[in-house]
């Protein structure tokens, strides 16, 4: 069941999950300027104060055959934390410390002294994101003014043979995505088409339709590597493509995060002056962009 926009944002962000702006599927009024602006205020406040804000991440580490943490000599030095190790066996993540071992859940924050560990990723390729108390210096998020002409109602043309592929989600986590199809629309008098992938949601039974796109505004006011935008289901089977909700990947806020590579075919020829801006201080586009 989908929740109201701001409530869903807070719930998901508190778990360190993907930033997915959700609104009730049947509520046209939920697509208003006021709702989008409230989502933006919620996000800015979360970035500044949340324990799992991307600006508090100190690193993203593959667990591999075992990852030591704690003392300065460990692979992941954590001040004030006794020596321990993270491991993965048959897809299960274990934390061993002080002669005791306990399981960890993917996507759930594990407090450890003044730190948080958040394991994620696909089985066999698990990573752990480490968050500290210090807020990384950076400019607050900013957005273009709301533009109602960039709220588009579209139809999803389903993929004939949906294939799975590994991609990096907005938070830099590798996930198993499924080809959902394409959406076509007119923008600036030009016919455009974008690929849509189905990414895992915050809960195991959830999934989200996501688009990672590039346009001529990249590196000219928006993030060089591109931005994400979600498709919002509407009554009757259609979808809303709202570029006012275009957002940066987490690597735009903190170089600790790996940055997603551009999705093949998802480059627009018309500049999208909507959604989240970029004020510098992040990464350059990855190879292949």
């Amino acid at each position: 069941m989908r929740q109201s926009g701001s409530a869903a944002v807070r719930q998901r962000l508190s778990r360190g999950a993907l930033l997915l702006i959700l609104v009730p599927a049947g509520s046209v009024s939920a697509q208003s300027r006021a709702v989008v602006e409230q989502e933006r205020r919620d996000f800015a406040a979360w970035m500044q104060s949340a324990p799992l804000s991307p600006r508090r991440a100190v690193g993203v580490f593959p667990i591999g055959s075992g990852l030591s943490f704690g003392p300065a000599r460990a692979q992941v030095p954590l001040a004030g934390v006794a020596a321990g190790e993270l491991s993965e066996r048959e897809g299960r993540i274990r934390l061993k410390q002080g002669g005791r071992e306990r399981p960890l859940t993917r996507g759930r924050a594990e407090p450890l002294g003044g730190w948080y560990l958040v394991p994620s990723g696909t089985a066999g390729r698990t990573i752990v994101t480490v968050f500290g108390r210090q807020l990384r210096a950076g400019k607050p998020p900013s957005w273009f003014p709301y533009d109602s002409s960039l709220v588009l109602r579209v139809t999803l043309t389903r993929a004939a043979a949906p294939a799975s592929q590994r991609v990096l989600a907005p938070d830099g986590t590798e996930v198993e995505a499924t080809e959902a199809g394409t959406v076509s629309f007119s923008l600036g008098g030009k016919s455009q088409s974008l690929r849509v992938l189905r990414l895992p949601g915050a809960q195991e039974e959830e999934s989200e339709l996501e688009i990672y796109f590039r346009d001529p505004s990249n590196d000219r006011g928006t993030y060089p590597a591109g931005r994400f935008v979600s498709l919002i289901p509407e009554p009757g089977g259609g979808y809303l493509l709202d570029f006012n909700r275009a957002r940066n990947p987490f690597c735009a806020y903190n170089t600790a995060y790996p940055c997603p590579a551009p999705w093949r075919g998802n480059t627009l020829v018309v500049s999208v002056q909507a959604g989240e801006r970029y004020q510098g201080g992040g990464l350059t586009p990855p190879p292949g962009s």
Side-chain angles (χ1 to χ4, degrees):
M1 178 181 293
R2 291 181 176 265
Q3 303 168 335
S4 65
S6 59
V9 169
R10 286 193 294 272
Q11 183 185 32
R12 284 172 178 267
L13 297 184
S14 68
R15 290 197 298 265
L18 304 183
L19 171 60
L20 300 173
I21 305 299
L22 304 180
V23 295
S27 176
V28 175
S29 63
Q31 314 307 328
S32 70
R33 179 195 302 261
V35 169
V36 171
E37 290 178 348
Q38 183 61 54
E39 290 173 356
R40 293 174 175 183
R41 288 190 292 271
D42 287 346
F43 178 63
W46 174 78
M47 283 283 288
Q48 183 67 25
S49 62
L52 302 184
S53 164
R55 290 179 57 192
R56 296 188 198 276
V58 298
V60 178
F61 307 94
I63 290 180
S65 59
L67 185 69
S68 63
F69 60 84
R73 65 180 180 276
Q75 292 168 291
V76 184
L78 300 176
V81 173
E85 184 182 47
L86 286 167
S87 62
E88 180 185 5
R89 297 192 296 272
E90 297 180 346
R92 294 186 175 92
I93 308 161
R94 312 290 296 184
L95 185 150
K96 185 176 182 179
Q97 189 182 37
R100 309 176 84 176
E101 187 172 289
R102 63 183 185 274
L104 300 186
T105 302
R106 293 178 193 275
R108 181 176 298 172
E110 176 72 20
L112 204 62
W115 311 85
Y116 284 99
L117 309 182
V118 182
S120 58
T122 56
R125 302 170 70 92
T126 301
I127 62 171
V128 60
T129 306
V130 180
F131 296 85
R133 290 176 176 162
Q134 185 175 354
L135 193 68
R136 180 187 177 97
K139 297 174 183 177
S142 66
W143 294 267
F144 291 97
Y146 181 87
D147 185 346
S148 60
S149 71
L150 290 172
V151 182
L152 310 175
R153 283 174 167 79
V154 296
T155 299
L156 177 65
T157 302
R158 306 283 176 175
S164 295
Q165 58 184 291
R166 287 175 174 166
V167 298
L168 292 185
D171 64 351
T173 298
E174 184 181 72
V175 297
E176 197 75 25
T178 305
E179 195 87 30
T182 59
V183 290
S184 299
F185 50 91
S186 178
L187 190 65
K190 305 285 187 180
S191 295
Q192 306 279 270
S193 182
L194 290 171
R195 293 172 62 223
V196 183
L197 296 184
R198 189 178 297 278
L199 272 58
Q203 304 282 351
E204 287 186 7
E205 70 275 10
E206 293 178 342
S207 63
E208 303 298 334
L209 295 172
E210 288 287 322
I211 297 170
Y212 187 34
F213 71 97
R214 301 194 72 225
D215 69 275
S217 74
N218 298 148
D219 208 20
R220 296 175 177 82
T222 65
Y223 193 59
R227 292 176 291 169
F228 282 87
V229 66
S230 303
L231 279 188
I232 301 172
E234 287 204 299
Y239 292 88
L240 200 72
L241 174 57
D242 185 356
F243 284 110
N244 294 286
R245 289 183 165 100
R247 63 195 190 277
N248 295 331
F250 281 12
C251 56
Y253 318 116
N254 189 335
T255 54
Y257 290 96
C259 207
W263 293 359
R264 174 181 49 82
N266 272 23
T267 299
L268 299 174
V269 298
V270 176
S271 182
V272 177
Q273 304 287 317
E276 194 170 359
R277 295 178 183 267
Y278 178 64
Q279 301 182 79
L283 303 178
T284 56
S289 57

